[in-house]
């Protein structure tokens, strides 16, 4: 916190010092002039007059400095008297609660009302915050056992939030204390996501490694002279190494995307040409799964700002998922339409399958890393659980978004909303 009183005092002292130096210089100049005239034959009173000026210059700045310091102190005292605890609490962005020696609420700022609600002067904080760590914090502060303390507190309702709560006394002999709640929810969420990501990545790599190690041991032992078993195990090992390679490639793609800034404007991508290339590249996969890919494109050019390779990866992931998981529907539809409804014109690209669909409770989490609706089916289809996370990151860089609609038994539709300019 900036000490404004110290700043004002320092400024006043500096001004007084400058004034003192200027007066000394002026006095010295006058003395020099008088000395010249004295040596030129003037009266003896001239040097005496010069001496008097020097004495006055030496005494005057001290008076000015004292007067300026007194004025600064008066201004500071007057300014602080205009402030109150209520004004200071309102200036704090974090939830802040002032309470007395009986742990009774005296005042709460607007942020505290927004975070906890139901606060009123005279309320017992021991009844409001019943968590053991909060009870221990309040008891330690009001009893004088500690002058200040910090604990972590988790609020369950209406949504779960985590706070770092600091408590301390206010002033001297005021019998007032303050609680400040620093919201740590976003930091804890990121830490939890990072830990989950490392655990999931380790698990995804450990499983094929354990499988390969087991088959190597079998090939060196019982299956050493069994050609049929050797060929089968080698094929499985090849599949597992391919799975690890895909997982590492996807992890590297995510890492590169997170390090890149938002896409700079200026580069145009022909959306129709890009999607045609994606459909042509996945035609063999669609044929293997007995699917027909249908096009439903509007006429005219469809240029959008973006990176062609990254947008190709987006539509390749979406169309590949539709071919793998919607094969029971017999067809996949890719459509391009213009969106004129919003404040800015855009282009929507929808990849729709007619397979089993996605249960509604999975849709909000389907773009999370390693999140799978059906784990076994995903691994059978050689999925890494990172495809839609990559899609989400690329679209974020392009100032675009992804929406998902699905109904059980009627398939799923993934729509990419791209800005036209």
């Amino acid at each position: 916190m900036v000490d404004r009183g110290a700043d004002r005092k320092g400024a006043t002292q500096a001004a007084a010092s400058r004034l003192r130096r200027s007066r000394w210089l002026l006095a010295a100049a006058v003395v020099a002039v008088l000395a010249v005239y004295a040596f030129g034959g003037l009266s003896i009173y001239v040097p005496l007059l010069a001496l008097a000026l020097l004495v006055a210059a030496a005494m005057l700045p001290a008076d000015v400095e004292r007067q300026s310091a007194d004025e600064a102190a008066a201004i500071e005292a007057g300014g602080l008297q205009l402030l109150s605890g209520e004004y200071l609490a309102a200036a704090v962005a974090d939830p802040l609660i002032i309470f007395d020696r009986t742990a009774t609420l005296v005042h709460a700022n607007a942020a505290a009302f927004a975070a906890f609600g139901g606060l009123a002067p005279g309320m017992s904080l021991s009844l409001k915050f019943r968590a053991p760590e909060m009870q221990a914090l309040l008891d330690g502060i009001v009893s004088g056992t500690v002058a200040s303390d910090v604990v972590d507190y988790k609020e369950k309702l209406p949504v779960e939030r985590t706070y770092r709560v600091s408590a301390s006394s206010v002033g001297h002999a005021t019998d007032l204390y303050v609680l400040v709640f620093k919201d740590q929810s976003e930091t804890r969420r990121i830490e939890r996501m990072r830990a989950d990501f490392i655990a999931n990545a380790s698990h995804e790599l450990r499983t094929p490694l354990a499988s390969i190690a087991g088959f190597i041991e079998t090939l060196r032992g019982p299956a050493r002279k069994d050609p049929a078993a050797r060929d089968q195990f080698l094929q499985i090992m090849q599949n597992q190494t391919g799975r690890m390679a895909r997982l590492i490639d996807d992890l590297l793609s995510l890492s590169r995307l997170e390090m890149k800034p938002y896409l700079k404007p200026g580069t145009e991508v022909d959306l129709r040409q890009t999607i045609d290339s994606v459909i042509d590249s996945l035609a063999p996969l669609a044929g293997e799964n007995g699917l027909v890919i249908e096009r439903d494109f509007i006429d005219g050019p469809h240029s959008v700002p973006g990176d062609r390779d990254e947008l190709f990866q987006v539509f390749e992931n979406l169309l590949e998922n539709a071919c793998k998981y919607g094969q029971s529907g017999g067809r996949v539809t890719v459509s391009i339409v213009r969106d004129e409804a919003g404040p800015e014109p855009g282009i929507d690209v929808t990849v729709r399958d007619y397979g089993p669909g996605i249960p509604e409770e999975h849709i909000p989490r389907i773009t999370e890393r390693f999140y799978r609706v059906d784990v076994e089916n995903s691994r059978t289809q050689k999925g890494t659980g990172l495809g839609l996370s990559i899609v989400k990151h690329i679209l974020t860089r392009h100032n675009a978004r992804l929406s998902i609609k699905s109904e059980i038994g009627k398939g799923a539709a993934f729509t990419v909303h791209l800005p036209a300019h």
Side-chain angles (χ1 to χ4, degrees):
M1 182 178 294
V2 178
D3 190 346
R4 300 185 184 276
D7 288 346
R8 287 196 296 269
K9 184 176 181 181
T12 304
Q13 291 176 347
S17 178
R18 289 193 298 270
L19 180 61
R20 181 170 62 250
R21 286 197 299 269
S22 63
R23 289 182 180 275
W24 272 107
L25 291 173
L26 178 62
V30 173
V31 169
V33 172
L34 293 177
V36 171
Y37 279 98
F39 286 111
L42 293 180
S43 170
I44 189 62
Y45 294 105
V46 172
L48 293 177
L49 177 61
L51 180 62
L53 286 173
L54 285 174
V55 173
M59 296 178 60
L60 185 59
D63 295 337
V64 172
E65 184 174 359
R66 283 195 299 271
Q67 181 180 0
S68 301
D70 293 340
E71 290 177 355
I75 293 173
E76 180 180 1
L80 290 177
Q81 287 175 359
L82 296 176
L83 294 177
S84 68
E86 182 178 353
Y87 293 151
L88 293 174
V92 178
D94 297 317
L96 182 147
I97 295 175
I98 300 174
F99 61 100
D100 61 17
R101 184 170 290 279
T102 62
T104 300
L105 189 149
V106 175
H107 178 73
N109 65 0
F113 279 101
F116 307 113
L119 298 176
M123 172 183 290
S124 172
L125 295 183
S126 299
L127 297 178
K128 177 63 177 178
F129 302 104
R130 296 176 179 270
E133 60 271 19
M134 289 296 293
Q135 297 287 326
L137 177 66
L138 293 171
D139 291 343
I141 290 295
V142 300
S143 65
T145 305
V146 292
S148 62
D149 201 1
V150 178
V151 299
D152 290 331
Y153 168 66
K154 184 175 291 186
E155 184 81 4
K156 298 291 186 180
L157 297 174
V159 294
E160 183 174 313
R161 305 201 69 83
T162 301
Y163 295 94
R164 175 65 57 86
V165 186
S166 59
S168 61
S169 59
V170 179
H172 300 285
T174 61
D175 285 339
L176 291 178
Y177 309 88
V178 63
L179 290 175
V180 180
F181 296 77
K182 190 72 175 178
D183 196 340
Q184 302 288 309
S185 305
E186 184 64 17
T187 303
R188 298 295 175 85
R189 185 185 70 84
I190 293 173
E191 291 176 353
R192 187 165 55 250
M193 286 179 59
R194 184 182 296 113
D196 291 343
F197 172 72
I198 294 173
N200 287 328
S202 302
H203 173 74
E204 293 293 332
L205 288 171
R206 187 184 297 113
T207 301
L209 282 173
S211 176
I212 292 172
F215 287 127
I216 291 174
E217 184 178 354
T218 303
L219 287 172
R220 296 182 63 185
R224 181 190 299 270
K225 298 181 179 180
D226 187 342
R230 184 172 61 249
D231 291 342
Q232 179 185 2
F233 292 161
L234 288 174
Q235 181 62 50
I236 296 174
M237 291 167 64
Q238 184 179 2
N239 294 338
Q240 295 294 341
T241 54
R243 176 184 167 190
M244 286 192 294
R246 291 191 300 273
L247 178 61
I248 292 171
D249 288 342
D250 285 350
L251 288 172
L252 290 175
S253 294
L254 272 176
S255 178
R256 285 192 295 267
L257 288 170
E258 289 176 343
M259 293 175 64
K260 289 182 179 179
Y262 277 84
L263 193 72
K264 295 181 179 180
T267 306
E268 293 287 330
V269 178
D270 188 331
L271 202 55
R272 180 169 188 156
Q273 183 183 18
T274 302
I275 295 176
D276 279 335
S277 300
V278 171
I279 293 175
D280 293 341
S281 67
L282 292 177
L285 176 63
E288 292 175 5
N289 292 331
L291 285 167
V292 175
I293 300 178
E294 300 175 348
R295 293 174 171 88
D296 183 13
F297 299 167
I298 57 174
D299 296 330
H302 314 302
S303 295
V304 296
D307 182 282
R308 185 187 184 281
D309 292 337
E310 292 185 1
L311 290 179
F312 185 96
Q313 190 175 8
V314 166
F315 298 115
E316 184 181 42
N317 271 320
L318 295 178
L319 188 55
E320 186 177 0
N321 285 346
C323 292
K324 288 179 178 179
Y325 304 111
Q327 55 183 308
S328 60
R331 62 191 177 101
V332 173
T333 302
V334 182
S335 62
I336 302 177
V337 298
R338 290 195 174 274
D339 180 15
E340 305 290 349
E344 295 183 359
I347 297 178
D348 294 348
V349 180
T350 301
V351 179
R352 176 176 175 77
D353 67 71
Y354 299 87
I358 304 170
E360 185 177 357
E361 64 270 17
H362 293 288
I363 292 178
R365 301 190 59 192
I366 202 170
T367 57
E368 293 180 12
R369 299 174 180 181
F370 295 110
Y371 188 84
R372 294 181 173 97
V373 177
D374 187 337
V375 176
E376 293 302 324
N377 188 30
S378 175
R379 289 179 177 171
T380 302
Q381 298 292 346
K382 301 180 181 180
T384 63
L386 295 173
L388 290 179
S389 295
I390 293 174
V391 168
K392 182 179 178 180
H393 276 74
I394 293 175
L395 294 181
T396 299
R397 290 192 63 241
H398 284 71
N399 292 314
R401 60 187 178 89
L402 176 70
S403 62
I404 305 170
K405 295 182 180 179
S406 181
E407 189 175 347
I408 297 298
K410 295 184 179 181
F414 291 77
T415 302
V416 175
H417 306 274
L418 290 161
H421 302 291

